[in-house]
């Protein structure tokens, strides 16, 4: 999942201003990805995204844009237009699912290895540099120096580089730090820990209040916001080694809150989706 697909701004209260495309991806990840070869009527999508503040015109333009980007495919049935996932979108969502549900927010199993990636691209390829940096951030990398990026553990990033057509411009290594290297200092210099921590604190505060208020009458909208905001929260977190983070690192309590709200909303959101969504098999 790319940086541009998620979100990049905060509102005054600290909650992310999520882009329609990030909410659309969360919608398909929640209600289509595990249901098999399905497509969803555009009117159903407009209904659900309207529950989280996305207007009809924004939904329609986002659907069109995502078709153009190869993330969704159209399927007409009579006068209705349905939308389903492409193989590319399925890969994006499966990657996001691993980040959300399988990998913990705190890395307690780090074995001391690092992945190093060096690249050199001329100024004329500025867009490609931006795309590479965005994908590296999502993959857990931070800029150790200008053209040298580092991530904890053995990160399989070769496929990402190949997809961007930059294999010839990138060198990848796996290594461990020398004893003379202050890993804690390196982490603090490479990643903005205060910013990452602030996202977790803000998420935990917002969703603890929701948890205490009960499931409410719109579980499908709540779950859509929950998953989208959690993805936004973890986007810049490289899952740094737990033993090199502050003892009060807020990722763990935020993750506990996320999972509690997810458990609270799973069944009612699924029931409501079955009532609301007009779906049909993808041809």
């Amino acid at each position: 999942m790319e940086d541009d697909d998620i979100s990049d701004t905060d509102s005054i209260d600290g909650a992310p201003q999520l882009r329609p495309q990030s909410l659309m991806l969360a919608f398909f990840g929640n209600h289509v990805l595990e249901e098999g070869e399905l497509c969803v009527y555009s009117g159903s999508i407009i209904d659900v995204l309207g529950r989280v503040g996305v207007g009809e015109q924004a939904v329609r333009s986002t659907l069109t844009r995502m078709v153009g980007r190869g993330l969704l495919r159209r399927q007409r049935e009579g006068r209705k237009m349905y939308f389903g996932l492409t193989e590319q979108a399925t890969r994006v969502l499966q990657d996001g699912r691993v980040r959300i549900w399988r990998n913990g927010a705190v890395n307690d199993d780090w074995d001391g290895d690092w992945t190093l990636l060096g690249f050199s691209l001329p100024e004329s390829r500025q867009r490609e540099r931006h795309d590479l940096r965005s994908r590296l951030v999502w993959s857990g990398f931070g800029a150790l120096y200008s053209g040298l990026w580092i991530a904890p553990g053995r990160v399989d990033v070769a496929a990402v580089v190949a997809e961007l057509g930059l294999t010839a411009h990138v060198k990848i290594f796996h290594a461990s730090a020398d004893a003379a290297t202050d890993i804690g200092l390196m982490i603090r210099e490479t990643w903005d820990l205060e910013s990452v921590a602030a996202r977790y604190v803000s998420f935990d505060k917002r969703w603890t209040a929701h948890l205490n208020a009960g499931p409410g009458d719109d579980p499908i909208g709540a779950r859509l916001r929950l998953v989208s905001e959690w993805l936004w929260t973890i986007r810049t977190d490289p899952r740094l080694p737990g033993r090199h983070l502050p003892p009060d690192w807020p990722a763990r309590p935020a993750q506990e809150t996320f999972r509690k709200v997810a458990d609270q909303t799973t069944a009612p959101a699924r029931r409501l989706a079955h009532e609301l969504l007009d779906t049909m098999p993808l041809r």
Side-chain angles (χ1 to χ4, degrees):
M1 187 172 296
E2 299 179 22
D3 180 60
D4 290 344
D5 294 335
I6 305 175
S7 171
D8 61 357
T9 57
D10 288 331
S11 67
I12 294 175
D13 66 358
Q17 292 284 356
L18 297 164
R19 297 178 180 179
Q21 180 164 302
S22 72
L23 291 163
M24 189 77 73
L25 285 167
F27 168 80
F28 277 92
N30 278 338
H31 304 296
V32 177
L33 184 63
E34 296 185 4
E35 297 295 328
E37 298 287 311
L38 282 184
C39 54
V40 185
Y41 170 48
S42 60
S44 297
I45 301 172
I46 290 168
D47 181 0
V48 173
L49 266 68
R51 295 165 179 255
V52 292
V54 183
E56 178 177 348
Q57 186 56 45
V59 173
R60 292 190 183 279
S61 63
T62 300
L63 288 169
T64 299
R65 187 166 60 251
M66 291 178 71
V67 169
R69 292 184 62 186
L71 294 170
L72 295 177
R73 52 186 291 189
R74 290 188 182 98
Q75 181 170 306
R76 181 175 293 279
E77 187 71 18
R79 300 180 64 182
K80 290 184 175 181
M81 188 66 73
Y82 291 73
F83 292 84
L85 295 171
T86 62
E87 291 184 5
Q88 178 186 350
T90 298
R91 289 194 301 270
V92 167
L93 292 176
Q94 287 173 340
D95 180 44
R97 182 168 60 184
V98 170
R99 289 288 299 272
I100 293 171
W101 304 109
R102 189 182 305 169
N103 295 340
V106 178
N107 186 354
D108 293 320
D109 303 318
W110 181 62
D111 61 3
D113 281 347
W114 296 89
T115 299
L116 298 169
L117 183 146
F119 67 90
S120 178
L121 289 169
E123 189 67 28
S124 61
R125 305 184 72 170
Q126 186 173 358
R127 177 62 192 180
E128 290 164 290
R129 285 194 297 174
H130 168 77
D131 291 344
L132 177 60
R133 289 167 177 164
S134 295
R135 298 293 292 273
L136 290 177
V137 168
W138 174 250
S139 299
F141 284 80
L144 187 61
Y145 299 109
S146 177
L148 181 62
W149 289 58
I150 189 170
R154 295 183 65 88
V155 181
D156 184 8
V157 73
V160 169
V161 174
E163 184 180 327
L164 294 173
L166 297 176
T167 301
H169 302 274
V170 170
K171 303 295 185 291
I172 303 169
F173 305 89
H174 300 285
S176 58
D178 186 85
T181 300
D182 185 332
I183 294 177
L185 176 61
M186 182 190 72
I187 286 174
R188 293 192 297 274
E189 291 177 342
T190 304
W191 287 277
D192 184 356
L193 295 186
E194 288 188 7
S195 176
V196 175
R199 289 189 179 210
Y200 282 119
V201 171
S202 178
F203 178 93
D204 196 19
K205 181 178 179 180
R206 288 193 308 277
W207 287 96
T208 295
H210 182 279
L211 187 66
N212 293 336
D217 58 359
D218 185 20
I220 196 170
R223 189 173 179 84
L224 190 55
R225 290 195 307 272
L226 173 75
V227 172
S228 299
E229 289 189 21
W230 183 245
L231 268 173
W232 179 87
T233 300
I234 66 176
R235 174 172 62 93
T236 56
D237 183 358
R239 296 186 72 248
L240 295 164
R243 62 179 179 265
H244 291 292
L245 292 171
D248 58 348
W249 187 244
R252 203 181 305 274
Q255 178 176 264
E256 291 175 0
T257 297
F258 166 73
R259 289 180 173 172
K260 287 179 181 177
V261 180
D263 289 343
Q264 184 186 69
T265 57
T266 296
R270 184 176 293 119
R271 286 195 298 269
L272 188 56
H274 286 158
E275 295 173 9
L276 290 177
L277 301 185
D278 177 357
T279 64
M280 66 178 302
L282 193 61
R283 296 194 298 268

